[in-house]
Amino acid sequence: MSKRSLIGAALWAGLAFLAWAPLGTGCSKPSTGNPDATVNVPPDAAGTPDTGPDLPDVGTPDTGPEPIPCSYDDDCGPAERCGDRGVCVEAVACNTPANCTPSDDTDTPRLYCENTTVGLGCRCVMAPAADGGAAAGYCKRRLPPCAPCQTDEQCGSDPLWFRTPLHEPGKCVTLDGAKVCLEPYVPTKCGCGQSATVGGAYYCAPQGTTPSCAEGGAFLCCLKDGNCPPEHPVCETATGRCQDVCWYDFDKKETVGCRADKVCNVDPKNLTSSSRNYAAGRCGAPCAADADCTYLRGDFVCRAETGSDKRCRPPGCLGDIECPELPIDNPSNGFCERETGTCMTNCRIGEDPVTSLPFTDCKGGFKCARPTPTEPGACVEQTCAEQGGTQQFCRWNEICCGEDHDGNPDTPPEPCTDSTGAVIGQPGKCYRAPNPPWCAPCDPADVLSCTKATFPTSAKDPNLCIAFGPDGAGTDRGNSCMFACESSSQCPKGFNCKDIELTCNADPSVCGDPARCQDSGEKDGEGKPIMWCRCTTAGDQAECPALLDASKPTGPHARCSDDAYPSNRPWLHCIWTHGCLPYIRACMPP
């Protein structure tokens, strides 16, 4: 096999690799009629797959009875727990409490049992055996302080599992005539530090002349928010009890942090625009009229959210989702200005202080910029480079004008001109790659036919000539130049900057030392291994002594590649060039 045929095999392997997956039939073998053994590329054979027969209409399934709201895991069935929306959901199975402890913060099924920071932890509750089978256990959270109970075990009495930086093991005690869970008195864990004496022992309990858990209040006593621990950060001063913050999730259209029969009334203290608890509130009974909300702030209104009873809140917007959708030709999505509760149609630059994520005030393809330093932000169109550049944003056979090819901010982008120097592309816009030079016809017998003065060149690698072969109608699509490159951003869309390797399947001696002819891990169109010449010094030609055409010493010479290929083949190999290899549809008429 001649050395000129070797490059044909290498090109064939590269083109087969780049062919679209739906083709599936492989390419024709390299032509041996040309002295440079060019490659025939198969026509684009992608078709429309058969989607199969239509499925029958099975109707709307019976969803069964409405679920019963719950407040605690013990309100649910033996194999269930109380979900975030006050509805019983499936619990995690267990044999011991150790089975309930989440391994880390990605152990999603068990996160409800977390107890190292804010959680209460889980106990393993055995369910009665069914039909004579073995009993099964399920992870249920300990009941929180002030929750009604029957046994100490419900309150998390085992110190091995329930003594944490925030909690102590609990006991089921009688307080003000009711059996409730309480924790032993520990000054650093009792909010304001007040305690109640029950049966000769001290417990953390709500303050008052007669300590009581009546009216379903929270458990820790307090005088101000600063007395409360992180998991119950709000002090309800009317009752002296620490409570959770709550909020309304506009995206999910649901109240978070309250029992099913409560709403989240916005706390005026949480309306600072940069607060991470922005628009959070306190759980309470639904309101009936605006007058019910003036105790919070004079301008508060009583309004129902989607999927929620009426609650007290400011009259303006609280989130972007409450603002009206802008016309499709407006580049702005609009947003809610938290300081005034007003829907705006311009945009903000930077990160949202609440989420620490970039603002998304502009529609796709636009960015927020200030016309002058003193003007508000406005949505302006992004350049093609900002939207992904040639390979991700432009269409087939197009180039992104102004894209940075070398990653050096000190070098200006290449001019968007054709082979005559005429400007054909505007900065920031995609333009059709000139033809020629891209897809320029060439002569496979002439090693210099792709090195004209107006053609793209590289100091590192040569341009090569390839053949596309016949299209689907049997018409020969001719030969075309493949230009050298250093990154795919230098190639039009539809081309990939890729090594064209020196193969040694037929003649290992082309590697100099036949032992350097090694399996690349690639397969050819017939499924046979492709062998490449291994080398050790990047850029070195001495280890790759093959000329594309020995009779023309000015022609391309193989060299050692710059980098190891994939990690499963960690060795350098000889290549003919690193060039813009076209996909099947490239160099075809628009």
Side-chain angles (χ1 to χ4, degrees):
M1 187 175 185
S2 71
K3 292 172 182 175
R4 288 187 293 273
S5 298
L6 295 175
I7 187 173
L11 283 170
W12 155 243
L15 287 167
F17 171 78
L18 289 172
W20 284 1
L23 296 177
T25 57
C27 306
S28 57
K29 293 183 179 180
S31 168
T32 56
N34 282 317
D36 280 298
T38 53
V39 180
N40 295 318
V41 182
D44 188 353
T48 302
D50 182 5
T51 58
D54 292 335
L55 296 176
D57 184 0
V58 297
T60 302
D62 182 6
T63 58
E66 289 293 322
I68 300 174
C70 57
S71 297
Y72 310 116
D73 290 356
D74 284 20
D75 296 338
C76 299
E80 296 177 318
R81 66 177 180 88
C82 189
D84 294 337
R85 301 184 64 181
V87 175
C88 294
V89 297
E90 183 179 0
V92 172
C94 59
N95 293 316
T96 69
N99 301 144
C100 302
T101 304
S103 56
D104 53 40
D105 59 6
T106 63
D107 190 0
T108 305
R110 293 177 174 80
L111 283 183
Y112 72 95
C113 291
E114 191 269 338
N115 69 351
T116 57
T117 55
V118 300
L120 289 166
C122 281
R123 63 196 200 279
C124 187
V125 180
M126 302 305 294
D131 300 327
Y138 295 91
C139 298
K140 290 179 179 281
R141 284 165 288 195
R142 65 180 287 195
L143 293 175
C146 272
C149 61
Q150 297 297 323
T151 66
D152 290 347
E153 189 268 342
Q154 288 178 288
C155 305
S157 57
D158 188 337
L160 177 64
W161 304 108
F162 301 111
R163 177 171 282 119
T164 75
L166 295 174
H167 291 287
E168 287 293 309
K171 282 185 175 292
C172 186
V173 301
T174 300
L175 185 69
D176 193 28
K179 295 192 72 173
V180 295
C181 290
L182 291 181
E183 294 179 7
Y185 172 76
V186 176
T188 58
K189 299 182 182 181
C190 281
C192 62
Q194 187 169 344
S195 64
T197 304
V198 181
Y202 290 94
Y203 294 90
C204 295
Q207 62 181 344
T209 304
T210 302
S212 174
C213 287
E215 301 178 3
F219 57 95
L220 292 176
C221 59
C222 60
L223 297 175
K224 58 184 180 179
D225 290 352
N227 297 141
C228 297
E231 80 271 32
H232 300 286
V234 175
C235 181
E236 184 56 62
T237 55
T239 61
R241 295 168 178 168
C242 295
Q243 296 183 342
D244 294 336
V245 295
C246 60
W247 66 94
Y248 179 79
D249 189 322
F250 286 97
D251 291 321
K252 295 182 179 179
K253 298 180 175 58
E254 64 184 23
T255 298
V256 179
C258 295
R259 292 186 338 198
D261 59 339
K262 301 291 185 181
V263 295
C264 184
N265 294 311
V266 176
D267 189 335
K269 293 189 304 183
N270 294 327
L271 290 177
T272 303
S273 62
S274 60
S275 171
R276 297 190 68 84
N277 283 330
Y278 177 77
R282 301 165 184 257
C283 298
C287 58
D290 292 350
D292 297 337
C293 303
T294 55
Y295 77 98
L296 291 170
R297 204 172 77 179
D299 64 338
F300 268 30
V301 296
C302 181
R303 181 187 301 174
E305 313 289 4
T306 303
S308 168
D309 291 329
K310 288 185 176 182
R311 66 170 184 150
C312 296
R313 52 159 291 167
C317 61
L318 287 173
D320 299 348
I321 200 168
E322 290 194 285
C323 294
E325 187 173 349
L326 297 178
I328 193 170
D329 59 349
N330 191 319
S332 173
N333 289 318
F335 67 94
C336 176
E337 185 180 64
R338 299 189 186 111
E339 289 81 357
T340 61
T342 304
C343 289
M344 309 295 289
T345 58
N346 56 336
C347 61
R348 297 161 292 182
I349 297 174
E351 291 185 348
D352 186 332
V354 175
T355 65
S356 297
L357 298 174
F359 288 118
T360 56
D361 301 336
C362 297
K363 293 176 180 174
F366 293 84
K367 64 179 180 180
C368 190
R370 289 189 178 93
T372 66
T374 59
E375 291 184 84
C379 295
V380 298
E381 187 175 4
Q382 291 179 304
T383 66
C384 55
E386 290 171 329
Q387 297 186 71
T390 296
Q391 297 300 326
Q392 296 184 36
F393 178 70
C394 295
R395 294 178 295 184
W396 283 92
N397 293 325
E398 287 187 342
I399 297 175
C400 174
C401 183
E403 184 174 6
D404 182 13
H405 297 316
D406 59 9
N408 184 353
D410 297 329
T411 57
E414 297 176 7
C416 309
T417 58
D418 62 13
S419 58
T420 67
V423 175
I424 57 174
Q426 299 300 316
K429 303 288 186 180
C430 295
Y431 67 96
R432 183 153 182 95
N435 182 359
W438 293 100
C439 303
C442 56
D443 180 2
D446 182 2
V447 295
L448 300 178
S449 62
C450 292
T451 59
K452 297 179 181 179
T454 55
F455 286 1
T457 59
S458 168
K460 184 182 293 185
D461 289 305
N463 298 335
L464 294 179
C465 183
I466 60 174
F468 285 93
D471 60 16
T475 303
D476 191 344
R477 289 178 290 177
N479 308 316
S480 179
C481 289
M482 183 183 71
F483 297 112
C485 57
E486 294 186 27
S487 72
S488 292
S489 67
Q490 294 175 293
C491 310
K493 178 64 173 290
F495 292 73
N496 187 26
C497 192
K498 186 180 183 296
D499 283 345
I500 303 301
E501 291 83 5
L502 171 60
T503 58
C504 54
N505 295 61
D507 184 6
S509 67
V510 300
C511 300
D513 179 359
R516 291 197 292 111
C517 184
Q518 299 189 14
D519 189 343
S520 68
E522 300 286 346
K523 304 290 184 182
D524 64 14
E526 297 178 351
K528 297 178 181 179
I530 298 176
M531 310 294 286
W532 291 346
C533 295
R534 180 172 181 171
C535 53
T536 58
T537 305
D540 188 16
Q541 290 185 344
E543 294 181 283
C544 305
L547 283 169
L548 183 61
D549 189 336
S551 66
K552 299 173 181 176
T554 58
H557 192 298
R559 69 169 179 87
C560 191
S561 60
D562 298 322
D563 302 300
Y565 201 62
S567 57
N568 64 339
R569 189 174 50 254
W571 42 272
L572 302 179
H573 50 282
C574 293
I575 64 173
W576 287 112
T577 191
H578 193 68
C580 295
L581 189 66
Y583 284 76
I584 297 305
R585 287 173 53 190
C587 292
M588 293 177 66

